[in-house]
Amino acid sequence: MLGAIIGDTVGSIYEFNNIKKTDFVFFGPDVEFTDDSVLTVAVADWLLNDHARSMDGLEKVLVSYTHDYPNPMGAYGSGYLEWVHSSGKRTPYNSCGNGSAMRASACGWVAQSLNDALELGKLSAQITHNHPEGIKGAQAVSAAIYMGLHGSTKEEIRSYIVEMFGYDIMTCDEIRPEYGWGATCQDTVPEAFAAFFDSTDFESAIRLAVSLGGDSDTLACITGGIAQAFYKDIPQWMIDKMVDILPKKFIDIIEKVGGISLR
């Protein structure tokens, strides 16, 4: 899960200023965690503390985190903010936006089986992003993380993702020249998988994701979550940097999800 937040943070300064190369300062000047990290931690909080996995519980935690961190770098999507600030009963708004996929990484970490990963991904998405593509994006991320954590090879993960979800996953070199900004799952999830499949370690996965351009922080957030699960190892210098950046509340939840100590 920390991998997703590292990806978000590294990509934060390139979301609206794409870099299109892998050779850049990893934690560039003025990087910050964005709404992607806030909602990733919110979903993790729900999974850890609402054992019933209720929609009321998820709604409460999403709204609470959004109020606690109202102006993150990158900003929340307009449809999501309308949902948060609704004066009536909150209902899903048929979004296929990539917000469902970028907040789903903890689902793969806590899942007890591949089917559980799919179900948790669906639950985490459908409270807001109940469009089939929005649900599919969250499920794909959750499933890939579960598979990576439990020893699947890249070839096995690719085969499952392509067959289960129908994504056309090209190489980063094929994607990069023409790829532009898009905020749907369809425009983001296959590209995030491409960065993971082309990578050789955690750092290269993040660099490849950012180099594609587009919605850089979300791309790298999704890629980072999958890459951490597969490669297992995040360099200590990256962990130390994130401990300096993140609120203690975030660190506590990351540690509980991963069963690790960052400090």
Side-chain angles (χ1 to χ4, degrees):
M1 181 179 144
L2 178 61
I5 295 173
I6 291 174
D8 172 46
T9 303
V10 172
S12 63
I13 58 176
Y14 300 114
E15 180 180 7
F16 302 109
N17 186 27
N18 291 165
I19 194 166
K20 293 286 186 175
K21 61 181 182 178
T22 58
D23 182 15
F24 56 84
V25 177
F26 196 76
F27 287 109
D30 303 319
V31 294
E32 297 180 24
F33 66 86
T34 80
D35 59 302
D36 296 26
S37 292
V38 175
L39 298 185
T40 293
V41 175
V43 170
D45 192 331
W46 167 66
L47 291 168
L48 288 171
N49 296 305
D50 182 358
H51 300 298
R53 307 281 163 75
S54 68
M55 289 297 95
D56 285 346
L58 179 55
E59 177 180 330
K60 182 178 179 179
V61 78
L62 289 172
V63 171
S64 175
Y65 271 77
T66 306
H67 284 310
D68 288 346
Y69 303 92
N71 298 299
M73 188 173 187
Y76 301 100
S78 58
Y80 174 75
L81 282 178
E82 287 181 17
W83 178 84
V84 167
H85 296 299
S86 173
S87 58
K89 180 176 173 58
R90 296 184 182 90
T91 57
Y93 46 95
N94 198 39
S95 175
C96 61
N98 56 25
S100 62
M102 60 79 170
R103 71 190 189 209
S105 61
C107 298
W109 278 88
V110 307
Q112 299 300 302
S113 67
L114 184 54
N115 283 338
D116 192 31
L118 294 173
E119 180 62 18
L120 293 179
K122 179 181 179 179
L123 289 174
S124 74
Q126 67 184 11
I127 191 168
T128 52
H129 293 57
N130 60 329
H131 187 285
E133 292 290 343
I135 292 171
K136 184 169 84 171
Q139 288 185 309
V141 172
S142 180
I145 288 172
Y146 178 83
M147 294 177 74
L149 286 169
H150 292 85
S152 295
T153 65
K154 278 190 180 180
E155 291 74 19
E156 289 169 337
I157 296 171
R158 180 191 285 271
S159 293
Y160 180 82
I161 295 302
V162 170
E163 291 173 14
M164 182 71 175
F165 300 105
Y167 288 130
D168 180 17
I169 302 173
M170 300 186 293
T171 68
C172 289
D173 287 343
E174 291 171 330
I175 295 166
R176 191 179 295 107
E178 303 298 328
Y179 185 62
W181 204 92
T184 66
C185 282
Q186 307 93 292
D187 292 331
T188 312
V189 175
E191 289 76 14
F193 272 107
F196 163 63
F197 289 131
D198 285 3
S199 67
T200 56
D201 57 18
F202 177 78
E203 181 175 343
S204 71
I206 300 300
R207 289 186 178 279
L208 283 165
V210 171
S211 79
L212 294 178
D215 191 359
S216 299
D217 61 326
T218 301
L219 260 171
C221 179
I222 296 169
T223 301
I226 301 166
Q228 180 195 4
F230 180 80
Y231 292 116
K232 307 298 192 294
D233 183 48
I234 295 177
Q236 188 61 46
W237 64 269
M238 295 186 194
I239 295 173
D240 293 342
K241 178 68 172 180
M242 295 309 298
V243 169
D244 288 340
I245 291 174
L246 295 174
K248 181 180 181 298
K249 180 177 183 178
F250 286 23
I251 295 171
D252 290 343
I253 291 173
I254 292 166
E255 289 180 331
K256 289 177 183 176
V257 169
I260 55 174
S261 176
L262 302 182
R263 294 159 289 192

